[in-house]
Amino acid sequence: MRVQRRMRSRGFLETTEPDGRTTWWPIVFHPDLLALTPGATARRATWAGAGAFLIEPDLLVLPSGRRSRRPPGTLVDAPRLNADDLRARTARFGSLRRRIVLDAPAAVGAPVVGVLWVLVAGGGIGAFVAATILAALVAVWASAIGGSDPS
């Protein structure tokens, strides 16, 4: 599932627990997720010592946050794709360029962080540039790790 809330789009894995309740896990986007169909079986796994999901047959999905009952926002159901559509969408949505373009708006506030850094810690143009670049990189990284969904 993809959940759209305001300007943020995030991918979620909807799971049914053994006791029958539905839980939602925010996940890190991977182009192979576009091929998932409703009813695919997922089981808990570990990757590098952290929790993950293994979805049939060999797709490893990493959670990007805590599970919830139902995320706020508009639910957008996953499309059912044939092989040709999947290849085309993977090429389009799986590129690093598209990921950066969609995650970059989070970096808009980076110059403000740079100015605040110079006002509080002192420094000149070099400190401003370094703080701005660092804040922009952290913002883009946080969006990507936060589970943004470019599809």
Side-chain angles (χ1 to χ4, degrees):
M1 278 287 194
R2 185 169 58 92
V3 176
Q4 183 76 34
R5 183 172 186 216
R6 298 185 181 121
M7 291 183 65
R8 185 174 181 126
S9 178
R10 190 169 190 187
F12 281 83
L13 184 64
E14 181 183 7
T15 61
T16 303
E17 300 295 324
D19 61 3
R21 65 188 169 113
T22 301
T23 56
W24 301 74
W25 291 87
I27 55 174
V28 176
F29 179 78
H30 189 278
D32 289 344
L33 291 171
L34 297 173
L36 285 183
T37 58
T41 58
R43 61 182 172 89
R44 297 295 303 213
T46 57
W47 181 77
F53 291 98
L54 186 62
I55 301 174
E56 60 182 40
D58 61 348
L59 176 60
L60 186 69
V61 178
L62 304 174
S64 64
R66 294 184 176 159
R67 70 180 176 188
S68 62
R69 293 185 187 247
R70 185 184 183 280
T74 304
L75 300 176
V76 180
D77 201 2
R80 295 180 186 215
L81 301 175
N82 61 30
D84 294 335
D85 289 339
L86 179 61
R87 278 193 291 280
R89 288 182 68 139
T90 299
R92 180 175 175 207
F93 297 129
S95 72
L96 181 61
R97 180 178 176 268
R98 177 157 174 100
R99 293 296 309 251
I100 290 173
V101 165
L102 290 173
D103 292 338
V108 169
V112 174
V113 173
V115 167
L116 290 174
W117 182 270
V118 170
L119 289 175
V120 172
I125 263 308
F128 169 75
V129 170
T132 300
I133 290 173
L134 183 62
L137 289 174
V138 167
V140 170
W141 173 79
S143 289
I145 293 301
S148 64
D149 189 344
S151 66

